[in-house]
Amino acid sequence: MNEPLSIPGGLQLRTQLFVIAVGIAMLLFILNMVRRKQLREQYSLLWLFSAVVMTLCAVFIRQVDKLSHLVGIHYPPAFLFLVAILLVLVLQFHFSTVISNLREQNKSLTQDLGILAAEVRELRRAIEERKKVP
Amino acid sequence: MSASALVVDKPSPLTSAVARVLVVVPAHNEQESLGDTLDRIRSEMPETDMVVVNDYSTDRTSEVARAHGAVVVELPWNLGYGGAVQTGFKYAVAHGYDAVVQMDADGQHDPASARAVLAPVLAGEADVVIGSRFLGRADYAIPAPRRLGMMLFGRIATAVTHQRFSDPTSGFQALHRCAVEFFARDNYPSDFPDADTLILLSLAGFRVREVPVVMRARTAGTSMHSNLRAVYYVAKMLLSILMVLLRHSRVPRRVAGGAFTGDADADARRTRPTRRTQS
């Protein structure tokens, strides 16, 4: 009953081709975003990696199947989901570190901006005072 | 390890006649109590300058502060208590002040105690002085959960630093220039400085001392500590203390003349080329 799902090649060729197409489209989309400078190289790497993993999983479906059994998951699609979730987690974590960094820089800029604005105000006031007293 | 072992020498004693002292007052919607607080600081310590860090208030905090003789640093959005205090420290460093007194705007901290808090710093006896409401006299009842939290983290700080801290959350402090510079860098939490900050100071070789002060119930405004946040606070503080201890080797050390060395990475960078030529 579970034969069409678990044996290699059980996944339909059509499905395989569809996933490969989506993977390649994703890859091209990300590369194009980087080319147009809407995505920085350093942040695109993880996405590119995800797209490549997705495509490779579709191409080498038999090996994925074997690997899945090797780690003790006897329902290969579950293994694919696990890989997908792990990739998403890695991406999310990456974003958390980026956000932490941005927050720190943001705080620093905010403080310096506040101080500089105060300096300008004080200097202006000092100049005005001087003008008043000839 | 003993914190005092790291101290190479005392900072140069600052005589109050020449020392330039800045009073840093972080304020968030404190128009009711700020004016009175500033007036009392002015009458207690007429020779000091005052800077109010307005942490994105929606009321007339800035106008009140200016009217009462303080320089106002306005933050374009809310940074939180620690972020506001650190702004004041950065201002002090930029203007070359010798010492900083940090006080809350809400009237909890009695300016009459400010001189006592500042004195050990000016005398060169301590780098950081914390005004403790438990060594002194608290004129109000502290909510039980809050008191419990203060006790717990105070105990932890005592265990790590071998020094008694009765009031680690106190925002009534005086700091020598070297400690101000240390905090103006990357070493100050953006939310609420607490036992973690004291442990960090102690590990970095600063001499921390407590003096008794009088604290009152808030005269106006809303307290920043709500019971809802208690769980978050305890978890965050435990993690924060753990991180301070884990980062121990990377903490810049206070050294001769009140200055301190750079971070461990910078030291490594500096020493690496000489090592290479030797080998």
Side-chain angles (χ1 to χ4, degrees):
Chain A
M1 189 184 159
N2 62 352
E3 225 173 52
L5 281 173
S6 61
I7 57 165
L11 262 165
Q12 296 225 339
L13 185 65
R14 215 189 298 173
T15 321
Q16 208 177 340
L17 286 177
F18 174 70
V19 175
I20 292 170
V22 169
I24 289 173
M26 191 172 150
L27 209 62
L28 291 177
F29 176 73
I30 298 164
L31 286 172
N32 194 38
M33 288 295 273
V34 177
R35 185 184 66 84
R36 287 164 54 200
K37 294 193 174 180
Q38 290 185 6
L39 183 64
R40 285 175 68 151
E41 284 86 346
Q42 59 197 108
Y43 301 135
S44 70
L45 279 178
L46 268 174
W47 284 111
L48 287 173
F49 178 70
S50 305
V52 168
V53 166
M54 186 173 142
T55 314
L56 287 182
C57 278
V59 173
F60 299 104
I61 194 74
R62 282 157 197 277
Q63 283 75 5
V64 169
D65 215 274
K66 270 187 201 149
L67 192 64
S68 144
H69 283 286
L70 206 67
V71 296
I73 298 170
H74 298 295
Y75 180 63
F79 178 69
L80 284 177
F81 279 124
L82 182 70
V83 170
I85 289 170
L86 284 178
L87 276 175
V88 169
L89 275 179
V90 169
L91 276 166
Q92 293 294 337
F93 188 77
H94 176 64
F95 291 148
S96 287
T97 61
V98 172
I99 290 170
S100 296
N101 200 10
L102 282 175
R103 252 200 98 139
E104 203 50 45
Q105 293 170 340
N106 188 306
K107 182 186 88 174
S108 203
L109 281 174
T110 304
Q111 293 176 326
D112 290 352
L113 179 66
I115 292 172
L116 285 175
E119 307 286 16
V120 170
R121 220 168 18 241
E122 291 302 309
L123 283 173
R124 274 206 186 129
R125 217 186 52 182
I127 291 168
E128 288 302 313
E129 306 253 304
R130 224 177 236 197
K131 274 183 189 165
K132 276 180 210 160
V133 186
Chain B
M1 69 185 295
S2 156
S4 59
L6 298 169
V7 181
V8 178
D9 78 354
K10 285 182 173 184
S12 48
L14 307 163
T15 55
S16 54
V18 291
R20 292 178 63 227
V21 179
L22 179 72
V23 181
V24 171
V25 182
H28 178 68
N29 291 337
E30 302 282 6
Q31 63 176 12
E32 310 298 333
S33 53
L34 182 60
D36 185 50
T37 305
L38 292 178
D39 285 346
R40 297 190 51 212
I41 294 170
R42 173 60 68 233
S43 63
E44 290 290 336
M45 299 193 294
E47 74 284 4
T48 61
D49 294 334
M50 302 185 290
V51 64
V52 169
V53 183
N54 181 356
D55 195 10
Y56 197 56
S57 300
T58 49
D59 64 359
R60 300 183 60 256
T61 294
S62 287
E63 285 90 330
V64 171
R66 272 188 214 112
H68 291 265
V71 170
V72 180
V73 172
E74 278 174 327
L75 297 175
W77 47 81
N78 192 278
L79 277 188
Y81 182 81
V85 171
Q86 194 186 35
T87 307
F89 291 162
K90 285 186 174 179
Y91 182 91
V93 170
H95 287 258
Y97 283 97
D98 299 310
V100 163
V101 176
Q102 171 200 336
M103 286 180 72
D104 286 354
D106 56 17
Q108 269 196 84
H109 300 158
D110 189 348
S113 305
R115 234 172 233 297
V117 176
L118 181 61
V121 171
L122 293 184
E125 293 165 9
D127 302 316
V128 177
V129 180
I130 296 154
S132 166
R133 72 199 98 181
F134 300 120
L135 285 180
R137 188 163 52 88
D139 283 3
Y140 66 102
I142 291 139
R146 183 132 161 64
R147 186 184 272 274
L148 206 71
M150 286 196 246
M151 225 175 71
L152 171 67
F153 295 122
R155 285 271 168 80
I156 293 176
T158 305
V160 174
T161 62
H162 306 293
Q163 194 180 344
R164 205 175 98 82
F165 292 111
S166 59
D167 195 1
T169 60
S170 169
F172 195 176
Q173 306 191 350
L175 305 96
H176 183 272
R177 183 194 202 135
C178 62
V180 176
E181 277 169 18
F182 180 71
F183 280 151
R185 289 177 163 207
D186 198 15
N187 301 304
Y188 207 66
S190 56
D191 46 7
F192 297 109
D194 200 321
D196 53 344
T197 315
L198 292 179
I199 293 172
L200 176 67
L201 273 176
S202 181
L203 291 180
F206 292 98
R207 296 161 310 156
V208 188
R209 181 194 279 194
E210 278 189 329
V211 299
V213 293
V214 177
M215 287 202 197
R216 296 198 161 74
R218 302 170 52 83
T219 53
T222 50
S223 172
M224 53 203 183
H225 298 281
S226 70
N227 287 340
L228 267 175
R229 294 192 166 186
V231 175
Y232 165 80
Y233 163 72
V234 171
K236 191 241 144 191
M237 192 47 57
L238 286 175
L239 179 68
S240 188
I241 289 174
L242 182 69
M243 286 302 144
V244 166
L245 294 176
L246 289 177
R247 288 187 202 119
H248 186 176
S249 59
R250 298 167 59 93
V251 172
R253 299 271 187 276
R254 181 189 173 287
V255 291
F260 51 92
T261 62
D263 54 302
D265 290 342
D267 288 345
R269 249 177 273 126
R270 231 175 288 132
T271 52
R272 214 170 283 140
T274 51
R275 264 185 221 145
R276 224 174 260 149
T277 50
Q278 278 163 0
S279 64

